Amino acid sequence: MTNNNPVWYQKIYAAAKAQPWRLVIAVLLCFVAIYYFMRLDVFVGLLALNAALQALCLGVFPQKQFEQEFVPDVMAELKIEQDWLHVKQRQFKVADIKSVALDQLDNENAFIDFPFNVYRAAAMRFPASQLPTVKAWVQQHLPQAEIIR
């Protein structure tokens, strides 16, 4: 496979290669669709085609609603004033924070999030080189919080 293919094609190809049952189901459903189109049952044929596309694409394209925003300096976004933690434009009561998701994503990026809280917009991706500093800051300022990976 060359890099001239569109990104969506590369993602579907990778998913089909990793899970060959996707391709088998899609091909079988295409035969079912052809059978029903030949019988002039267009509705069931379209349902079969839709199911074939779902077999190929379902779960391949992640939803971006919870994607972490990249910040070049995560320490500039974390601040405690009185009993409140300020993360970006969000505020959390320090005593209510029971867990902090903190881990390295790859060689270049790490992430921090405050799961099980009202706001999901606090998730951030930052340079992995800052991870030890952030971890030490969390342990110092949020000692009651469990660091989860």
Side-chain angles (χ1 to χ4, degrees):
M1 182 170 68
T2 64
N3 287 337
N4 296 337
N5 295 323
V7 174
W8 61 267
Y9 177 83
Q10 292 174 5
K11 287 184 178 184
I12 291 174
Y13 180 83
K17 191 174 180 182
Q19 300 167 333
W21 57 266
R22 287 176 177 264
L23 192 55
V24 171
I25 290 173
V27 168
L28 290 175
L29 287 167
C30 284
F31 283 126
V32 169
I34 291 168
Y35 171 77
Y36 281 103
F37 283 136
M38 288 174 55
R39 293 192 60 197
L40 300 178
D41 194 348
V42 176
F43 181 72
V44 177
L46 288 174
L47 283 176
L49 280 179
N50 182 21
L53 287 173
Q54 293 296 326
L56 287 175
C57 299
L58 196 62
V60 173
F61 302 104
Q63 295 180 1
K64 296 188 180 214
Q65 68 186 47
F66 296 130
E67 188 173 297
Q68 300 99 357
E69 172 188 348
F70 182 79
V71 291
D73 182 14
V74 70
M75 294 307 296
E77 302 293 336
L78 300 172
K79 184 178 358 173
I80 292 186
E81 292 178 352
Q82 296 173 359
D83 292 336
W84 291 91
L85 170 64
H86 300 273
V87 182
K88 299 193 306 189
Q89 288 81 30
R90 305 291 185 200
Q91 296 178 6
F92 303 97
K93 191 156 182 77
V94 171
D96 293 341
I97 299 174
K98 303 296 182 214
S99 59
V100 177
L102 183 64
D103 201 4
Q104 188 162 340
L105 291 171
D106 53 34
N107 290 336
E108 299 171 1
N109 296 299
F111 76 95
I112 187 169
D113 194 7
F114 300 88
F116 316 116
N117 293 294
V118 175
Y119 301 111
R120 290 289 306 174
M124 293 181 286
R125 193 169 36 93
F126 58 93
S129 60
Q130 298 176 15
L131 185 60
T133 306
V134 175
K135 188 173 184 178
W137 187 91
V138 168
Q139 290 171 336
Q140 178 186 358
H141 292 92
L142 305 169
Q144 80 285 1
E146 174 189 6
I147 296 177
I148 57 176
R149 304 177 129 211

